[in-house]
Amino acid sequence: MFELYQLEEFIKVAECKTLSKASEELNISQPALSRAMKNLEDEAEVPLFNRVKNRIELNDNGILFLEIARKVVSDAHMLKDRVKEYDRSKRTVFVASSAPAPLYLAVPKLSELYSAMMIATELNDEKTVLNGLRNGTYSAAIISHPVEDENIVCVRFSEEHLCFFLPEGHRLAHMKYMKLSDMDGGTMLLRSNLGFWQDIVDKKMKKTHFLVHEEDAFNELVMASNIPSFTSTAVQGRDRNIKNRVTVPIIDAEANVTYYCLVLRKNYQFFEKFLKSLPL
């Protein structure tokens, strides 16, 4: 019976077309590789190569053997990856969300309730998040609209309301509420990795020049500059430490979101204690 490493060596020899180059890439000596290919032919009980000066070429048997060997190696690696993924899934709660804020709430609660498991997260668009839940890629999903599906349990998760975060001296800092269009134009600071919020501000504020920064740099710039930015009810606890800024709620419907947590009905028993803790 062929060993997997023998097939991988054979594939490398076929791709390199010379034993010297293949042995270099495989990090084994050329004589050892030559013996390995001869042993492989002995086990196959048919010749696989036409040996010519300074080259080693596949014969018809070798061409067929290469086709099958590639499939066997690919299937073997897929088998290993699938088993590892299955094992990981038994020890990991993988939560995907279409916006970052729900993950700030979900991760601590899941860590508290499922302390023996690893909590993994991913930010993606709503279609990908929902499809990932259905095909088993994600354990749970959080999106900005309810889903009616007999195979999915849908529970209200939380709310998030977007606000402008303006310097105290800004001309609109006195406003009780605003629309996104009221600030369209000029320059604003923006967090990176906003999920669907990015699409909303891009659509509603096309004339605005956004300076996009990662979380740490963003917070430093908000504290040090007079450039307007956004905050939300989900992150205002962290933003309270930033002085000389005024929070103005945004009344556009798109800026006020209710999130829903989704799990497959077959997994409800596992997630029951988490779902019963909602909304957060």
Side-chain angles (χ1 to χ4, degrees):
M1 186 65 66
F2 307 116
E3 297 286 348
L4 189 62
Y5 78 88
Q6 291 178 294
L7 301 181
E8 291 174 329
E9 289 176 349
F10 172 80
I11 293 169
K12 181 59 68 176
V13 170
E15 290 173 346
C16 291
K17 300 188 187 318
T18 67
L19 285 172
S20 60
K21 184 176 180 181
S23 64
E24 183 179 340
E25 293 195 15
L26 291 167
N27 197 29
I28 60 177
S29 69
Q30 185 172 330
L33 183 57
S34 180
R35 288 194 299 272
M37 293 302 99
K38 185 63 174 67
N39 291 338
L40 188 64
E41 287 180 306
D42 291 342
E43 291 187 39
E45 299 181 352
V46 294
L48 301 174
F49 300 99
N50 293 321
R51 290 171 172 81
V52 297
K53 186 178 181 180
N54 297 326
R55 293 179 65 82
I56 183 168
E57 298 177 348
L58 298 181
N59 60 21
D60 290 345
N61 298 332
I63 292 172
L64 177 60
F65 193 90
L66 176 64
E67 178 183 342
I68 298 171
R70 281 176 168 156
K71 186 176 186 308
V72 170
V73 170
S74 175
D75 288 348
H77 287 304
M78 182 182 68
L79 172 62
K80 179 181 177 180
D81 291 342
R82 289 283 297 275
V83 172
K84 286 174 66 177
E85 178 66 22
Y86 175 70
D87 180 67
R88 184 192 65 81
S89 71
K90 294 188 297 181
R91 296 177 285 106
T92 304
V93 177
F94 197 177
V95 185
S97 176
S98 60
L103 298 176
Y104 304 152
L105 297 174
V107 171
K109 192 64 177 180
L110 289 166
S111 297
E112 172 192 336
L113 296 173
Y114 306 99
S115 57
M117 303 191 74
M118 182 176 74
I119 311 301
T121 63
E122 184 169 295
L123 187 65
N124 220 318
D125 63 272
E126 298 208 339
K127 182 178 179 181
T128 300
V129 169
L130 189 54
N131 288 340
L133 176 72
R134 286 177 167 140
N135 66 31
T137 300
Y138 306 129
S139 314
I142 304 172
I143 60 177
S144 63
H145 61 84
V147 171
E148 294 185 8
D149 186 322
E150 63 180 9
N151 297 314
I152 292 176
V153 176
C154 177
V155 178
R156 184 173 172 272
F157 180 83
S158 67
E159 294 183 3
E160 183 176 19
H161 305 283
L162 193 64
C163 307
F164 288 119
F165 205 32
L166 305 178
E168 287 183 342
H170 192 275
R171 62 184 178 82
L172 297 176
H174 67 283
M175 301 289 286
K176 292 184 178 180
Y177 55 83
M178 295 170 61
K179 294 182 180 180
L180 287 165
S181 59
D182 293 333
M183 283 290 293
D184 193 15
T187 301
M188 287 191 67
L189 297 173
L190 195 67
R191 285 181 170 92
S192 61
N193 301 317
L194 290 179
F196 68 80
W197 289 117
Q198 184 71 59
D199 295 333
I200 291 174
V201 297
D202 286 345
K203 179 180 179 180
K204 288 278 191 170
M205 303 180 70
K206 294 180 179 179
K207 298 177 182 178
T208 304
H209 175 56
F210 291 109
L211 303 176
V212 182
H213 295 277
E214 298 291 336
E215 188 74 14
D216 290 342
F218 174 85
N219 290 335
E220 290 180 7
L221 285 168
V222 169
M223 288 188 286
S225 75
N226 289 320
I227 303 174
S229 63
F230 289 102
T231 185
S232 83
T233 52
V235 298
Q236 279 176 356
R238 295 182 299 174
D239 288 345
R240 286 195 187 103
N241 295 327
I242 301 176
K243 306 300 182 182
N244 304 318
R245 289 261 169 173
V246 175
T247 299
V248 181
I250 299 171
I251 61 173
D252 300 64
E254 301 96 324
N256 297 275
V257 176
T258 299
Y259 295 109
Y260 296 85
C261 182
L262 315 174
V263 301
L264 294 179
R265 190 168 297 279
K266 66 180 182 180
N267 296 329
Y268 175 79
Q269 186 174 1
F270 175 83
F271 281 104
E272 183 176 8
K273 54 188 176 182
F274 175 66
L275 295 174
K276 285 187 173 180
S277 73
L278 303 180
L280 297 178

